[in-house]
């Protein structure tokens, strides 16, 4: 009862900040704030461009849970695929059922290479578009570890610092399809040439085009702040953006970058660096114009309190564990390269409702995609993840 009251209080407090700041600019006077308040409505047509190594798997989990809460239709990859044609440029028929469902999808969030004209064939005219970026310095190190076995430029170099000493020694543009993760991967995900010349006019035109195509760009380096901004912008509840970090790796697989390597990344991935700098600035400007830093700080605290509470409710350990310590293999995340991708163990003896809530918080991306696909397309062959099923029937 105490926990329930605490949650309710948090929810109400969160809702107060949420309403107040979604409908009024911070600059308005106290008297103006009291005049005819208007309620906002949760946006339910949302397209998330899932970029690589940017905490985007955690965002995808948030999107899937929201879709289930509101019984929304998700634009899922066709057949046995888990991405929407990536790394090919997206076309509408990569979506399961597009020929019959048409422009009636609510949520799109699996990996794709952005192609606005084709995405608009799938998503409604009033769709909200957002994405997430990450500082290219830690991003490239993360990519190096995660894609070590599959990217020729990474595979043939001893470690990330050796690769960055002389990238062109290992990276050959002719292999660009295999090497996309080794240079300007975010630029590529947004649909642009990751080997393009870093020309001022060109980069400025691309940045302006992205601003036109997307209503919001979040920053993974400030993930909690990003979730609060997303909550306000979409008029969602606090619990809609609560998360457990997914697809993270153990610290012992992190390679320390030298100062020289860090500077080299800025030059080698200069398109991504400009992309990040531009939208990091616009991110903080957006916060100051809409929420304000004081309210942001309070709401981030609320989010972390609620997250801690859920972790204490759900998890047998209060943190992610290594792959060989995950007891339920149905919750084992996909393992890639030299990374050890962490997962979670749930507490025993949870009641059915709590168990289901907790399972949804920790289920890895591939398993969740397979499950939603089975729900939406029950007459199609279920996507095979090569692991035990968490729910053997859709009614469980």
């Amino acid at each position: 009862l105490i926990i329930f009251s605490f949650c309710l209080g948090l929810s109400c407090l969160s809702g107060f900040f949420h309403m107040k700041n979604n409908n009024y600019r911070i600059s308005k006077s106290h008297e103006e704030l009291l005049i005819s308040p208007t309620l906002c409505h949760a946006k339910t047509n949302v397209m998330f461009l899932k970029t690589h190594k940017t905490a985007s798997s955690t965002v995808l989990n948030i999107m899937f849970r929201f879709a289930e809460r509101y019984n929304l239709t998700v634009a899922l990859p066709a057949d046995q695929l888990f991405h929407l044609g990536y790394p090919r440029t997206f076309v509408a028929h990569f979506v399961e059922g597009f020929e019959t469902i048409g422009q009636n999808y609510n949520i799109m969030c699996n990996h794709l290479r952005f192609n606005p004209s084709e995405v608009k064939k799938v998503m409604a005219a009033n769709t909200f578009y957002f994405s997430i970026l990450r500082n290219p310095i830690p991003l490239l190190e993360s990519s190096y570890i995660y894609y070590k076995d599959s990217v020729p430029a990474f595979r043939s170099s001893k470690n990330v610092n050796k690769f960055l000493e002389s990238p062109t020694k290992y990276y050959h543009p002719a292999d660009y399809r295999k090497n996309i993760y080794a240079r300007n991967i975010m630029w590529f995900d947004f649909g642009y040439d990751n080997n393009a010349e870093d020309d001022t006019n060109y980069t400025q035109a691309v940045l302006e085009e992205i601003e036109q195509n997307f209503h919001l760009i979040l920053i993974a380096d400030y993930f909690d702040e990003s979730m609060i901004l997303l909550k306000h912008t979409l008029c969602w509840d606090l619990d809609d953006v609560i998360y457990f970090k997914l697809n993270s790796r153990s610290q012992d697989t992190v390679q320390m970058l030298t100062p020289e390597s860090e500077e080299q990344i800025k030059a080698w991935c200069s398109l991504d660096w400009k992309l990040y700098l531009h939208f990091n600035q616009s991110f903080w400007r957006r916060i100051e114009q809409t929420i304000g830093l004081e309210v942001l700080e309070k709401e981030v605290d609320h989010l972390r309190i609620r997250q801690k509470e859920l972790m204490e409710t759900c998890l047998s350990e209060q943190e992610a564990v290594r792959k060989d310590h995950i007891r339920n293999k149905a919750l084992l995340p996909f393992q890639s390269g030299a990374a050890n991708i962490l997962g979670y163990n749930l507490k025993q003896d949870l009641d059915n409702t709590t168990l289901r809530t907790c399972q949804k918080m920790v289920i890895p991306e591939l398993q969740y995609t397979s499950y939603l696909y089975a729900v939406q397309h029950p007459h199609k062959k279920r996507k095979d993840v090569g692991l035990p099923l968490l729910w053997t029937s859709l009614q469980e």
Side-chain angles (χ1 to χ4, degrees), residues 262-326:
E262 293 189 356
E263 289 305 309
Q264 177 69 292
I265 291 171
K266 294 177 189 177
W268 174 244
C269 297
S270 63
L271 299 173
D272 269 4
W273 184 244
K274 286 188 173 179
L275 184 67
Y276 175 76
L277 290 180
H278 178 87
F279 284 104
N280 185 43
Q281 286 184 341
S282 69
F283 172 80
W284 290 105
R285 195 162 57 242
R286 180 77 163 262
I287 283 172
E288 288 173 3
Q289 290 170 351
T290 56
I291 308 172
L293 294 175
E294 187 180 339
V295 171
L296 175 74
E297 188 178 345
K298 288 178 183 175
E299 290 210 36
V300 165
D301 286 344
H302 298 156
L303 183 146
R304 289 173 180 166
I305 289 167
R306 179 71 176 126
Q307 181 186 57
K308 186 172 184 291
E309 180 187 287
L310 276 171
M311 291 183 91
E312 288 170 355
T313 299
C314 293
L315 305 180
S316 58
E317 301 91 348
Q318 296 306 296
E319 59 183 4
V321 299
R322 296 172 65 92
K323 62 185 178 185
D324 47 340
H325 292 159
I326 298 169

Side-chain angles (χ1 to χ4, degrees), residues 244 310-319 321 325-328 331 343-351 354-363 390-391:
F244 297 159
L310 276 171
M311 291 183 91
E312 288 170 355
T313 299
C314 293
L315 305 180
S316 58
E317 301 91 348
Q318 296 306 296
E319 59 183 4
V321 299
H325 292 159
I326 298 169
R327 291 192 296 268
N328 185 346
L331 295 175
Y344 295 95
N345 288 318
L346 298 179
K347 283 185 175 177
Q348 307 294 313
D349 304 321
L350 296 172
D351 67 79
T354 306
L355 175 63
R356 188 62 167 229
T357 299
C358 296
Q359 286 172 333
K360 295 289 175 70
M361 296 284 295
V362 303
I363 185 170
L390 187 59
W391 306 294

Side-chain angles (χ1 to χ4, degrees), residues 180-200:
I180 51 175
Y181 303 105
R183 189 181 196 191
N184 295 313
I185 181 59
M186 295 187 293
W187 199 263
F188 183 86
D189 287 347
F190 275 86
Y192 303 101
D193 179 5
N194 61 322
N195 290 306
E197 284 284 317
D198 185 356
D199 172 78
T200 304

Side-chain angles (χ1 to χ4, degrees), residues 360-371:
K360 295 289 175 70
M361 296 284 295
V362 303
I363 185 170
E365 176 180 335
L366 301 189
Q367 288 93 311
Y368 211 156
T369 300
S370 173
Y371 164 72

Side-chain angles (χ1 to χ4, degrees), residues 190-237:
F190 275 86
Y192 303 101
D193 179 5
N194 61 322
N195 290 306
E197 284 284 317
D198 185 356
D199 172 78
T200 304
N201 291 334
Y202 165 70
T203 54
Q204 189 57 38
V206 167
L207 294 175
E208 288 174 8
E209 191 167 78
I210 292 172
E211 283 185 336
Q212 289 169 6
N213 287 329
F214 289 84
H215 300 97
L216 181 65
I217 303 290
L218 303 176
I219 301 296
D221 311 79
Y222 305 100
F223 194 80
D224 288 348
E225 292 83 356
S226 289
M227 291 305 97
I228 297 303
L229 181 57
L230 184 69
K231 176 180 87 77
H232 275 266
T233 311
L234 295 180
C235 197
W236 288 8
D237 297 333

